[in-house]
mmCIF file of all heavy atoms in Angstrom:
data_model
loop_
_atom_site.group_PDB
_atom_site.id
_atom_site.type_symbol
_atom_site.label_atom_id
_atom_site.label_comp_id
_atom_site.label_asym_id
_atom_site.label_seq_id
_atom_site.Cartn_x
_atom_site.Cartn_y
_atom_site.Cartn_z
ATOM 1 N N HIS B 806 9.386 3.596 13.089
ATOM 2 C CA HIS B 806 8.975 4.756 13.809
ATOM 3 C C HIS B 806 7.476 5.158 13.459
ATOM 4 O O HIS B 806 6.688 5.523 14.361
ATOM 5 C CB HIS B 806 9.885 5.968 13.521
ATOM 6 C CG HIS B 806 9.579 7.156 14.279
ATOM 7 N ND1 HIS B 806 9.720 7.266 15.642
ATOM 8 C CD2 HIS B 806 9.097 8.395 13.931
ATOM 9 C CE1 HIS B 806 9.412 8.447 16.086
ATOM 10 N NE2 HIS B 806 9.046 9.178 15.045
ATOM 11 N N MET B 810 4.430 5.332 16.221
ATOM 12 C CA MET B 810 3.663 6.535 16.373
ATOM 13 C C MET B 810 2.153 6.271 16.204
ATOM 14 O O MET B 810 1.299 6.719 16.988
ATOM 15 C CB MET B 810 4.115 7.600 15.374
ATOM 16 C CG MET B 810 5.515 8.141 15.647
ATOM 17 S SD MET B 810 5.671 9.179 17.096
ATOM 18 C CE MET B 810 4.895 10.687 16.433
ATOM 19 N N GLY B 813 0.517 4.630 19.112
ATOM 20 C CA GLY B 813 0.375 5.391 20.372
ATOM 21 C C GLY B 813 1.657 5.677 21.077
ATOM 22 O O GLY B 813 1.601 6.349 22.136
ATOM 23 N N ASN B 814 2.821 5.254 20.557
ATOM 24 C CA ASN B 814 4.053 5.533 21.161
ATOM 25 C C ASN B 814 4.582 6.878 20.760
ATOM 26 O O ASN B 814 5.249 6.948 19.706
ATOM 27 C CB ASN B 814 5.067 4.470 20.919
ATOM 28 C CG ASN B 814 6.419 4.661 21.636
ATOM 29 O OD1 ASN B 814 6.605 5.620 22.387
ATOM 30 N ND2 ASN B 814 7.413 3.836 21.360
ATOM 31 N N THR B 815 4.294 7.950 21.382
ATOM 32 C CA THR B 815 4.571 9.308 20.974
ATOM 33 C C THR B 815 5.722 9.899 21.795
ATOM 34 O O THR B 815 5.947 11.074 21.812
ATOM 35 C CB THR B 815 3.401 10.184 21.038
ATOM 36 O OG1 THR B 815 2.858 10.191 22.353
ATOM 37 C CG2 THR B 815 2.322 9.737 20.068
ATOM 38 N N ASN B 816 6.510 9.018 22.394
ATOM 39 C CA ASN B 816 7.651 9.490 23.256
ATOM 40 C C ASN B 816 8.758 10.016 22.282
ATOM 41 O O ASN B 816 9.301 9.314 21.425
ATOM 42 C CB ASN B 816 8.211 8.320 24.051
ATOM 43 C CG ASN B 816 9.333 8.836 25.022
ATOM 44 O OD1 ASN B 816 9.790 9.947 24.917
ATOM 45 N ND2 ASN B 816 9.732 7.949 25.875
ATOM 46 N N HIS B 817 9.109 11.313 22.311
ATOM 47 C CA HIS B 817 10.085 11.939 21.467
ATOM 48 C C HIS B 817 11.490 11.912 22.048
ATOM 49 O O HIS B 817 12.368 12.573 21.459
ATOM 50 C CB HIS B 817 9.630 13.392 21.106
ATOM 51 C CG HIS B 817 8.308 13.428 20.403
ATOM 52 N ND1 HIS B 817 8.144 12.988 19.104
ATOM 53 C CD2 HIS B 817 7.130 13.829 20.820
ATOM 54 C CE1 HIS B 817 6.886 13.172 18.766
ATOM 55 N NE2 HIS B 817 6.236 13.673 19.773
ATOM 56 N N ASP B 818 11.662 11.344 23.204
ATOM 57 C CA ASP B 818 13.004 11.376 23.819
ATOM 58 C C ASP B 818 13.992 10.558 22.968
ATOM 59 O O ASP B 818 13.642 9.620 22.376
ATOM 60 C CB ASP B 818 12.930 10.833 25.267
ATOM 61 C CG ASP B 818 12.082 11.698 26.181
ATOM 62 O OD1 ASP B 818 11.934 12.867 25.845
ATOM 63 O OD2 ASP B 818 11.577 11.211 27.189
#
Side-chain angles (χ1 to χ4, degrees):
H806 185 66
M810 295 287 285
N814 182 3
T815 57
N816 187 349
H817 298 290
D818 294 339

